[in-house]
Amino acid sequence: MYKKISVPGTPSSKLIRVKEGETVLSPKEQKMYQYIVRILLYLVKHTRLDLTNATQELSKSMDVANYLHWKELVHVITFALQTQ
């Protein structure tokens, strides 16, 4: 089980755009990333304003994301599930 998370985003974490030559998600993983971020955007719009900043940072990498973005996505999802 995941440890208890108290904030939606990782403190002092800066998600930067992927630079050329860095390892990125596979096309299938990228589609999954986009799908999950869209779900988070829907939640932000309708019920979960506490996820706004973290989701905004994740949405900046909708075209190309790496595994650091994926890890942060899992962090936000875990927070959302623990604080329903």
Side-chain angles (χ1 to χ4, degrees), residues 59-78:
S59 68
K60 290 179 182 177
S61 300
M62 290 290 274
D63 54 343
V64 179
N66 61 20
Y67 291 100
L68 181 62
H69 295 97
W70 186 264
K71 183 179 175 184
E72 188 65 22
L73 179 65
V74 170
H75 181 90
V76 174
I77 292 168
T78 304

Side-chain angles (χ1 to χ4, degrees), residues 31-47:
K31 291 284 185 193
M32 182 64 74
Y33 179 87
Q34 293 169 349
Y35 179 73
I36 296 171
V37 171
R38 285 187 196 112
I39 291 170
L40 289 173
L41 287 168
Y42 179 84
L43 287 175
V44 165
K45 183 177 180 183
H46 295 286
T47 60

